[in-house]
Amino acid sequence: MPEDRTPQKYREQVGAYLHLAAGWRQALLPGAAAHVTPIEFELHNLLTANLAEVEVRLYVPGNVHAVRPRTQASMAANDSFVNLPNPPRPYGPRTVSLLDGGISSGLGSIARVSPFTTMPGNAPRPPMPHIDNGRSTTITFPAVHLRPHHRVRLDPIVLVVEAPAPAVITAQWWATSTSMNGTAQGQLSIPIADEPLPLAVVLTEPDAWRQRRDKTS
């Protein structure tokens, strides 16, 4: 197939692609969800009484963002974990197959499936942590029931801290229960990874990155 774009049109497509590429930072969180080991918090009821509807809110200060980890179901289905634009095809003539069902041109389409997409007909999902990302992050975990002296693990969360980052971040937490008056609160220390995770790694399929790392280690 001969090239059907003018040089100017091709330059415009490249410019549009570079403009989209400038927004690749938005892919950082879903990429981190597939690469970064999540953290989990555990609630322990020290009382002899039942604690109903225990809700925990966690505030992490600083340039921190939170995201839910990539699910096992998403990995098994090989869902695209980041939505990145396709670059424009190279300039010049090309070979196409008439059996492909059509010819595409231009910037191409963005991946249509993400690990957080709910498809019609899927079973209702259980409540998920509510994440409020801004200049810091606040996470509200779904309420859980705590029997006397029992422990319950909250949903795992991935925390992303932009470099340069401190070695430890001090977070604040609050807990309330519908069966108790008042609010329990405290602080906890969250250690930060020693080495930053490059963006090139974050945007690489986890399995491909692990294979490459195993070959070089």
Side-chain angles (χ1 to χ4, degrees), residues 61-194:
N63 197 5
V64 182
H65 301 273
V67 65
R68 304 183 192 99
R70 190 183 188 196
T71 64
Q72 293 293 331
S74 175
M75 290 187 287
N78 198 28
D79 290 340
S80 175
F81 70 102
V82 291
N83 291 334
L84 295 179
N86 294 322
R89 58 180 170 81
Y91 187 77
R94 67 196 186 281
T95 301
V96 299
S97 172
L98 297 179
L99 302 179
D100 288 341
I103 300 173
S104 61
S105 61
L107 288 175
S109 60
I110 293 178
R112 293 184 293 272
V113 180
S114 76
F116 310 114
T117 301
T118 301
M119 303 300 291
N122 284 2
R125 291 186 177 183
M128 304 293 288
H130 176 75
I131 298 173
D132 182 9
N133 285 324
R135 296 184 180 273
S136 56
T137 187
T138 300
I139 307 162
T140 304
F141 294 91
V144 297
H145 182 77
L146 269 175
R147 296 181 180 276
H149 302 296
H150 275 219
R151 298 173 183 266
V152 173
R153 284 194 174 185
L154 300 178
D155 296 271
I157 289 290
V158 171
L159 290 179
V160 180
V161 185
E162 294 192 24
V168 177
I169 290 181
T170 300
Q172 296 177 301
W173 61 267
W174 297 264
T176 57
S177 170
T178 57
S179 59
M180 301 285 286
N181 294 326
T183 302
Q185 58 184 324
Q187 295 182 336
L188 56 87
S189 298
I190 302 175
I192 307 302
D194 296 333

Side-chain angles (χ1 to χ4, degrees), residues 3 12-13 22 26 37-38 40 43 51 56 60-61 75 100 104 126 139 142 153 166 173 183 187 194 196 203 205 211:
E3 175 59 63
E12 291 175 357
Q13 291 181 351
Q26 298 177 1
T37 301
E40 293 184 76
L43 296 180
L51 296 179
V56 175
V60 187
M75 290 187 287
D100 288 341
S104 61
I139 307 162
R153 284 194 174 185
W173 61 267
T183 302
Q187 295 182 336
D194 296 333
L203 300 182
E205 276 287 355
Q211 294 174 4

